[in-house]
Coordinates of all heavy atoms in Angstrom, one line a residue:
M294 N 0.8 -1.2 0.0 CA 0.0 0.0 0.0 C 0.9 1.2 0.0 O 1.8 1.4 0.8 CB -0.9 0.0 1.2 CG -1.8 -1.2 1.3 SD -3.4 -0.9 2.0 CE -3.1 0.1 3.4
T295 N 0.6 2.1 -0.9 CA 1.4 3.3 -1.0 C 0.5 4.5 -0.4 O -0.6 4.7 -0.8 CB 1.8 3.6 -2.4 OG1 2.6 2.6 -2.9 CG2 2.5 5.0 -2.5
R296 N 1.1 5.3 0.4 CA 0.4 6.4 1.0 C 1.0 7.7 0.4 O 2.2 7.7 0.1 CB 0.5 6.4 2.5 CG -0.1 5.1 3.1 CD -0.8 5.4 4.4 NE 0.0 5.9 5.4 CZ 0.8 5.2 6.2 NH1 0.9 3.9 6.1 NH2 1.5 5.8 7.1
T297 N 0.2 8.7 0.2 CA 0.7 9.9 -0.4 C 0.6 11.0 0.6 O 0.0 10.9 1.7 CB -0.1 10.3 -1.6 OG1 -1.5 10.3 -1.3 CG2 0.1 9.2 -2.7
C298 N 1.3 12.1 0.3 CA 1.4 13.2 1.2 C 0.0 13.8 1.5 O -0.8 13.8 0.6 CB 2.3 14.3 0.5 SG 2.5 15.8 1.4
A299 N -0.1 14.3 2.7 CA -1.4 14.8 3.1 C -1.7 16.2 2.7 O -2.7 16.8 2.9 CB -1.6 14.7 4.7
K300 N -0.6 16.9 2.2 CA -0.7 18.3 1.8 C -1.7 18.4 0.6 O -1.5 17.6 -0.4 CB 0.6 18.9 1.5 CG 1.5 19.1 2.7 CD 1.1 20.4 3.4 CE 2.0 20.7 4.5 NZ 1.6 21.9 5.3
P301 N -2.6 19.3 0.7 CA -3.5 19.5 -0.5 C -2.7 19.7 -1.8 O -1.8 20.5 -1.8 CB -4.3 20.7 -0.1 CG -4.3 20.7 1.4 CD -2.9 20.2 1.8
G302 N -3.0 19.0 -2.8 CA -2.4 19.3 -4.1 C -1.1 18.6 -4.2 O -0.4 18.7 -5.3
C303 N -0.7 17.8 -3.2 CA 0.6 17.1 -3.3 C 0.3 15.6 -3.4 O -0.4 15.1 -2.6 CB 1.4 17.4 -2.1 SG 3.0 16.6 -2.1
D304 N 0.9 15.0 -4.4 CA 0.6 13.6 -4.6 C 1.9 12.7 -4.5 O 2.0 11.6 -5.0 CB -0.1 13.3 -5.9 CG 0.7 13.8 -7.1 OD1 1.8 14.3 -6.9 OD2 0.2 13.6 -8.3
R305 N 2.9 13.3 -3.9 CA 4.2 12.6 -3.7 C 4.0 11.5 -2.7 O 3.1 11.6 -1.8 CB 5.3 13.5 -3.3 CG 5.7 14.6 -4.3 CD 6.8 15.5 -3.7 NE 7.1 16.5 -4.6 CZ 6.5 17.7 -4.7 NH1 5.5 17.9 -4.0 NH2 6.9 18.6 -5.6
A306 N 4.9 10.5 -2.8 CA 4.8 9.4 -1.8 C 5.2 9.9 -0.4 O 6.1 10.7 -0.3 CB 5.8 8.3 -2.2
A307 N 4.4 9.4 0.6 CA 4.7 9.8 1.9 C 6.0 9.1 2.5 O 6.1 7.9 2.2 CB 3.5 9.5 2.8
V308 N 6.8 9.8 3.1 CA 8.0 9.2 3.7 C 8.2 9.5 5.2 O 9.0 8.9 5.9 CB 9.3 9.7 3.0 CG1 9.3 9.3 1.5 CG2 9.5 11.2 3.2
A309 N 7.3 10.3 5.7 CA 7.4 10.7 7.1 C 6.0 10.9 7.7 O 5.0 11.0 6.9 CB 8.2 12.0 7.3
T310 N 5.9 10.8 9.0 CA 4.6 11.0 9.7 C 4.7 12.1 10.7 O 5.7 12.2 11.4 CB 4.2 9.7 10.4 OG1 4.0 8.7 9.4 CG2 3.0 9.9 11.2
L311 N 3.7 13.0 10.6 CA 3.7 14.2 11.5 C 2.6 13.9 12.5 O 1.5 13.6 12.2 CB 3.3 15.4 10.6 CG 3.6 16.8 11.2 CD1 5.1 17.0 11.4 CD2 3.1 17.8 10.2
A312 N 3.0 14.0 13.8 CA 2.0 13.8 14.8 C 2.0 14.9 15.8 O 3.0 15.4 16.3 CB 2.4 12.5 15.6
Y313 N 0.8 15.4 16.1 CA 0.6 16.5 17.0 C 0.3 16.0 18.4 O -0.7 15.4 18.6 CB -0.5 17.5 16.6 CG -0.2 18.2 15.3 CD1 -0.3 17.6 14.1 CD2 0.3 19.5 15.4 CE1 0.0 18.3 12.9 CE2 0.7 20.2 14.2 CZ 0.5 19.6 13.0 OH 0.8 20.3 11.8
A314 N 1.2 16.3 19.4 CA 1.0 16.0 20.8 C 0.4 17.3 21.4 O 1.2 18.1 21.9 CB 2.2 15.5 21.4
Y315 N -0.9 17.4 21.4 CA -1.5 18.7 21.8 C -1.2 19.0 23.2 O -1.0 20.2 23.6 CB -3.0 18.6 21.5 CG -3.4 18.6 20.1 CD1 -3.6 17.4 19.4 CD2 -3.4 19.8 19.4 CE1 -3.9 17.4 18.0 CE2 -3.7 19.8 18.0 CZ -4.0 18.6 17.4 OH -4.3 18.6 16.0
A316 N -1.2 18.0 24.1 CA -1.1 18.3 25.5 C 0.3 18.8 25.8 O 0.5 19.6 26.8 CB -1.3 17.0 26.3
E317 N 1.3 18.5 25.0 CA 2.7 18.9 25.2 C 3.1 20.1 24.3 O 4.1 20.7 24.5 CB 3.6 17.7 25.0 CG 3.3 16.5 25.8 CD 4.1 15.3 25.3 OE1 5.1 15.5 24.7 OE2 3.6 14.2 25.5
G318 N 2.3 20.4 23.3 CA 2.7 21.4 22.4 C 3.9 21.0 21.6 O 4.8 21.8 21.3
V319 N 3.9 19.7 21.2 CA 5.1 19.2 20.5 C 4.6 18.6 19.2 O 3.5 17.9 19.2 CB 5.8 18.1 21.3 CG1 6.9 17.4 20.5 CG2 6.5 18.8 22.5
V320 N 5.3 18.8 18.1 CA 5.0 18.1 16.9 C 6.1 17.1 16.6 O 7.3 17.5 16.5 CB 4.9 19.1 15.7 CG1 4.7 18.4 14.4 CG2 3.9 20.2 16.0
W321 N 5.8 15.9 16.5 CA 6.7 14.8 16.2 C 6.8 14.6 14.7 O 5.8 14.4 14.1 CB 6.3 13.5 16.9 CG 6.4 13.6 18.4 CD1 5.3 13.8 19.3 CD2 7.6 13.4 19.2 NE1 5.8 13.8 20.6 CE2 7.1 13.5 20.6 CE3 8.9 13.1 18.9 CZ2 8.0 13.4 21.6 CZ3 9.8 13.0 20.0 CH2 9.4 13.2 21.3
L322 N 8.0 14.5 14.2 CA 8.2 14.2 12.8 C 9.0 12.9 12.8 O 10.2 12.8 13.3 CB 9.0 15.3 12.1 CG 9.2 15.2 10.6 CD1 7.8 15.1 9.9 CD2 10.0 16.3 10.1
E323 N 8.4 11.9 12.3 CA 8.9 10.5 12.4 C 9.0 9.9 11.1 O 8.4 10.3 10.1 CB 8.0 9.6 13.3 CG 7.7 10.2 14.6 CD 6.7 9.3 15.4 OE1 6.0 8.6 14.8 OE2 6.8 9.4 16.6
D324 N 9.7 8.8 11.0 CA 9.7 7.9 9.8 C 8.2 7.5 9.6 O 7.5 7.4 10.6 CB 10.6 6.7 10.0 CG 12.0 7.1 10.0 OD1 12.4 8.0 9.1 OD2 12.8 6.6 10.8
L325 N 7.9 7.2 8.4 CA 6.5 6.9 8.1 C 6.0 5.8 9.0 O 6.6 4.7 9.1 CB 6.4 6.5 6.6 CG 5.0 6.3 6.1 CD1 4.2 7.6 6.1 CD2 5.1 5.7 4.7
A326 N 4.9 6.1 9.6 CA 4.2 5.1 10.5 C 3.7 3.9 9.7 O 3.3 4.1 8.5 CB 3.1 5.7 11.3
P327 N 3.8 2.7 10.3 CA 3.4 1.5 9.5 C 1.9 1.5 9.1 O 1.5 0.9 8.1 CB 3.7 0.3 10.4 CG 3.8 0.9 11.8 CD 4.3 2.4 11.6
E328 N 1.1 2.2 9.8 CA -0.3 2.3 9.4 C -0.8 3.7 9.5 O -0.4 4.5 10.4 CB -1.2 1.5 10.4 CG -0.9 0.0 10.3 CD -1.8 -0.8 11.3 OE1 -2.8 -0.2 11.7 OE2 -1.4 -2.0 11.6
A329 N -1.7 4.1 8.6 CA -2.3 5.4 8.7 C -3.1 5.5 10.0 O -3.6 4.6 10.5 CB -3.2 5.6 7.5
H330 N -3.2 6.7 10.5 CA -3.9 7.0 11.7 C -4.5 8.4 11.6 O -3.9 9.3 11.1 CB -2.9 7.0 12.9 CG -3.6 7.0 14.2 ND1 -4.1 8.2 14.7 CD2 -3.8 6.0 15.1 CE1 -4.6 7.9 15.9 NE2 -4.5 6.6 16.2
P331 N -5.8 8.5 12.1 CA -6.5 9.8 11.9 C -5.8 10.9 12.7 O -6.1 12.1 12.4 CB -7.9 9.5 12.5 CG -7.7 8.2 13.3 CD -6.6 7.4 12.7
M332 N -5.0 10.6 13.6 CA -4.3 11.7 14.4 C -3.0 12.1 13.8 O -2.4 13.1 14.3 CB -4.1 11.2 15.9 CG -5.3 11.1 16.7 SD -6.1 12.6 17.1 CE -4.9 13.3 18.2
V333 N -2.6 11.5 12.8 CA -1.3 11.9 12.2 C -1.4 12.2 10.7 O -2.5 11.9 10.1 CB -0.2 10.7 12.4 CG1 -0.1 10.4 13.8 CG2 -0.6 9.5 11.5
H334 N -0.4 12.8 10.2 CA -0.4 13.2 8.8 C 0.8 12.7 8.1 O 1.9 12.9 8.6 CB -0.5 14.8 8.7 CG -1.5 15.4 9.6 ND1 -2.8 15.5 9.2 CD2 -1.5 15.8 10.9 CE1 -3.5 16.0 10.2 NE2 -2.7 16.2 11.2
D335 N 0.6 12.0 7.0 CA 1.7 11.5 6.2 C 2.2 12.7 5.3 O 1.5 13.4 4.7 CB 1.2 10.4 5.3 CG 0.7 9.2 6.1 OD1 1.2 9.1 7.3 OD2 -0.1 8.4 5.6
M336 N 3.5 12.7 5.3 CA 4.2 13.8 4.5 C 5.2 13.3 3.6 O 5.9 12.3 3.9 CB 4.9 14.7 5.5 CG 4.0 15.5 6.4 SD 3.3 16.9 5.6 CE 1.7 17.0 6.4
C337 N 5.3 13.9 2.4 CA 6.4 13.6 1.5 C 7.7 14.2 2.1 O 7.7 15.0 3.0 CB 6.1 14.1 0.1 SG 6.1 15.9 0.0
R338 N 8.8 13.8 1.5 CA 10.1 14.4 2.0 C 10.1 15.9 2.0 O 10.6 16.5 2.9 CB 11.3 13.7 1.3 CG 12.6 14.2 1.9 CD 13.7 13.4 1.3 NE 13.6 11.9 1.6 CZ 13.8 11.4 2.8 NH1 14.2 12.1 3.8 NH2 13.6 10.1 3.0
M339 N 9.7 16.4 0.9 CA 9.8 17.9 0.7 C 9.0 18.6 1.8 O 9.4 19.5 2.5 CB 9.3 18.3 -0.7 CG 9.5 19.8 -0.9 SD 8.6 20.4 -2.4 CE 6.9 20.4 -1.9
H340 N 7.7 18.2 2.0 CA 6.9 18.8 3.0 C 7.3 18.5 4.4 O 7.2 19.3 5.3 CB 5.4 18.4 2.7 CG 4.8 19.2 1.6 ND1 4.2 18.6 0.5 CD2 4.8 20.5 1.4 CE1 3.8 19.5 -0.3 NE2 4.1 20.7 0.2
A341 N 7.9 17.3 4.6 CA 8.4 17.0 5.9 C 9.6 17.9 6.3 O 9.7 18.3 7.4 CB 8.8 15.5 6.0
D342 N 10.4 18.1 5.3 CA 11.6 19.0 5.5 C 11.3 20.4 5.7 O 12.1 21.2 6.2 CB 12.6 18.8 4.4 CG 13.3 17.4 4.4 OD1 13.2 16.8 5.5 OD2 13.9 17.0 3.4
T343 N 10.1 20.8 5.3 CA 9.7 22.2 5.3 C 8.6 22.5 6.3 O 7.9 23.5 6.2 CB 9.4 22.8 3.9 OG1 8.3 22.0 3.4 CG2 10.6 22.7 3.0
V344 N 8.3 21.5 7.1 CA 7.1 21.6 8.0 C 7.3 22.8 8.9 O 8.4 23.1 9.4 CB 6.9 20.3 8.8 CG1 8.0 20.0 9.7 CG2 5.5 20.4 9.5
R345 N 6.2 23.5 9.2 CA 6.2 24.6 10.2 C 5.3 24.2 11.3 O 4.2 23.7 11.0 CB 5.8 25.9 9.5 CG 6.7 26.4 8.5 CD 6.2 27.6 7.8 NE 7.0 28.1 6.7 CZ 6.7 29.1 5.9 NH1 5.6 29.7 6.1 NH2 7.5 29.4 4.9
V346 N 5.6 24.6 12.5 CA 4.8 24.2 13.6 C 4.1 25.5 14.1 O 4.6 26.6 13.9 CB 5.6 23.6 14.7 CG1 6.2 22.3 14.2 CG2 6.6 24.5 15.3
P347 N 3.0 25.4 14.7 CA 2.3 26.6 15.2 C 3.2 27.4 16.2 O 4.0 26.8 16.9 CB 1.0 26.0 15.9 CG 0.8 24.7 15.3 CD 2.2 24.2 15.0
M348 N 2.9 28.6 16.4 CA 3.6 29.5 17.3 C 3.6 28.9 18.7 O 2.5 28.5 19.2 CB 2.9 30.9 17.4 CG 3.6 31.9 18.3 SD 5.1 32.5 17.4 CE 4.3 33.6 16.3
G349 N 4.7 28.8 19.3 CA 4.8 28.2 20.7 C 5.0 26.7 20.7 O 5.1 26.1 21.8
W350 N 4.9 26.1 19.6 CA 5.0 24.6 19.5 C 6.5 24.3 19.2 O 7.3 25.1 18.7 CB 4.2 24.0 18.4 CG 2.7 23.9 18.8 CD1 1.9 25.0 19.1 CD2 1.9 22.8 18.8 NE1 0.6 24.5 19.3 CE2 0.6 23.2 19.2 CE3 2.2 21.4 18.6 CZ2 -0.4 22.2 19.3 CZ3 1.1 20.5 18.7 CH2 -0.2 20.9 19.1
E351 N 6.9 23.1 19.6 CA 8.2 22.6 19.4 C 8.2 21.5 18.4 O 7.4 20.6 18.5 CB 8.8 22.1 20.7 CG 10.2 21.5 20.6 CD 10.7 21.0 21.9 OE1 10.1 21.2 22.9 OE2 11.8 20.3 21.9
L352 N 9.1 21.5 17.4 CA 9.2 20.4 16.5 C 10.3 19.5 16.9 O 11.5 19.9 17.1 CB 9.5 21.0 15.1 CG 9.8 20.0 14.0 CD1 8.5 19.2 13.7 CD2 10.2 20.6 12.7
R353 N 10.0 18.2 17.0 CA 11.0 17.2 17.3 C 11.1 16.3 16.1 O 10.2 15.4 15.9 CB 10.7 16.5 18.6 CG 10.7 17.4 19.8 CD 10.5 16.7 21.1 NE 10.3 17.7 22.2 CZ 9.9 17.3 23.4 NH1 9.7 16.0 23.7 NH2 9.7 18.2 24.3
D354 N 12.2 16.4 15.4 CA 12.4 15.6 14.2 C 13.2 14.3 14.7 O 14.4 14.4 15.0 CB 13.2 16.4 13.2 CG 13.4 15.6 11.9 OD1 13.1 14.4 11.9 OD2 13.7 16.2 10.9
V355 N 12.5 13.2 14.7 CA 13.2 12.0 15.2 C 13.3 11.0 14.1 O 13.3 9.8 14.3 CB 12.4 11.4 16.4 CG1 12.5 12.3 17.6 CG2 10.9 11.1 16.0
R356 N 13.3 11.5 12.8 CA 13.4 10.5 11.7 C 14.8 9.9 11.6 O 15.8 10.5 11.7 CB 13.1 11.3 10.4 CG 11.7 11.7 10.3 CD 11.5 12.5 9.0 NE 12.3 13.8 9.1 CZ 12.5 14.5 8.0 NH1 12.1 14.2 6.8 NH2 13.2 15.7 8.2
D357 N 14.7 8.6 11.4 CA 15.9 7.8 11.0 C 17.2 8.2 11.8 O 18.2 8.5 11.2 CB 16.1 8.0 9.5 CG 17.1 7.0 9.0 OD1 17.2 5.9 9.5 OD2 17.9 7.4 8.0
Q358 N 17.1 8.1 13.1 CA 18.3 8.4 13.9 C 18.8 7.2 14.6 O 19.6 7.3 15.5 CB 17.9 9.5 14.8 CG 17.6 10.8 14.1 CD 17.3 12.0 15.0 OE1 17.3 11.8 16.2 NE2 16.9 13.1 14.4
G359 N 18.3 6.0 14.2 CA 18.9 4.8 14.7 C 18.5 4.4 16.1 O 19.0 3.4 16.6
H360 N 17.5 5.0 16.6 CA 17.0 4.6 18.0 C 16.3 3.2 17.9 O 16.3 2.5 18.8 CB 16.1 5.6 18.6 CG 16.8 6.9 18.8 ND1 17.9 7.1 19.4 CD2 16.4 8.2 18.4 CE1 18.3 8.3 19.5 NE2 17.4 9.0 18.8
G361 N 15.6 3.0 16.8 CA 14.9 1.7 16.6 C 13.7 1.5 17.5 O 13.2 0.4 17.6
G362 N 13.3 2.6 18.2 CA 12.2 2.4 19.1 C 10.9 2.4 18.4 O 10.8 2.7 17.2
P363 N 9.8 2.2 19.1 CA 8.5 2.2 18.5 C 8.1 3.6 18.2 O 8.7 4.6 18.7 CB 7.6 1.6 19.5 CG 8.3 1.9 20.8 CD 9.8 1.8 20.5
A364 N 7.1 3.8 17.3 CA 6.6 5.1 17.0 C 6.1 5.7 18.3 O 5.7 5.0 19.3 CB 5.5 5.0 16.0
R365 N 6.1 7.0 18.4 CA 5.7 7.7 19.6 C 4.2 8.0 19.7 O 3.8 9.0 20.3 CB 6.6 8.9 19.8 CG 8.0 8.5 20.1 CD 8.9 9.7 20.0 NE 10.3 9.3 20.4 CZ 11.1 8.6 19.6 NH1 10.7 8.3 18.4 NH2 12.3 8.3 20.0
L366 N 3.5 7.3 19.0 CA 2.0 7.6 18.9 C 1.4 7.5 20.3 O 0.4 8.1 20.6 CB 1.3 6.7 18.0 CG 1.8 6.8 16.5 CD1 1.0 5.8 15.6 CD2 1.5 8.2 16.0
D367 N 2.0 6.7 21.2 CA 1.4 6.6 22.5 C 1.4 7.9 23.2 O 0.6 8.2 24.1 CB 2.2 5.6 23.4 CG 3.7 5.9 23.4 OD1 4.2 6.4 22.4 OD2 4.3 5.6 24.5
L368 N 2.3 8.8 22.9 CA 2.3 10.1 23.5 C 1.1 11.0 23.2 O 0.8 12.0 23.9 CB 3.6 10.9 23.1 CG 4.9 10.3 23.6 CD1 6.1 11.1 23.1 CD2 4.9 10.2 25.1
I369 N 0.4 10.7 22.2 CA -0.7 11.5 21.8 C -2.0 10.7 22.2 O -3.1 11.1 21.8 CB -0.8 11.9 20.3 CG1 -0.8 10.7 19.4 CG2 0.4 12.8 20.0 CD1 -0.9 11.0 18.0
G370 N -1.9 9.7 23.0 CA -3.0 9.0 23.5 C -3.7 8.1 22.4 O -4.9 7.9 22.5
A371 N -3.0 7.8 21.4 CA -3.6 7.0 20.3 C -3.8 5.5 20.7 O -3.0 5.0 21.5 CB -2.7 7.1 19.1
Ligands
ZN10 ZN1 4.0 16.8 0.0

């Protein structure tokens, strides 16, 4: 299954997943999650690299850094 970028008008293949942890004011940018989830947004590389977070939010880019841990979706109560 191929997923595409969630940005309107963008049909590139998704390579990253953007997750908003509202309680913490943190936006997680991760390697593409194995399954689509309503709380996250799939992003192509271009849009993942140029993502902007709302004022006062913190962006944590944890893509492909070798931690090998599970996705952090648990932090958003998913
Ligand atoms: Zn895109």
Side-chain angles (χ1 to χ4, degrees):
M294 301 216 314
T295 299
R296 302 216 300 276
T297 54
C298 181
K300 287 282 186 183
C303 181
D304 60 0
R305 294 178 182 85
V308 299
T310 294
L311 198 64
Y313 290 84
Y315 290 96
E317 304 169 23
V319 173
V320 179
W321 292 97
L322 187 59
E323 308 179 331
D324 290 319
L325 188 65
E328 295 182 17
H330 188 283
M332 290 289 291
V333 303
H334 309 276
D335 297 334
M336 292 282 147
C337 68
R338 182 167 303 283
M339 184 189 79
H340 282 123
D342 287 344
T343 58
V344 67
R345 294 177 187 173
V346 301
M348 184 79 73
W350 285 60
E351 178 183 350
L352 176 65
R353 295 186 191 170
D354 186 345
V355 294
R356 289 177 295 165
D357 193 30
Q358 294 179 4
H360 297 308
R365 291 167 177 76
L366 297 180
D367 55 327
L368 292 179
I369 60 174

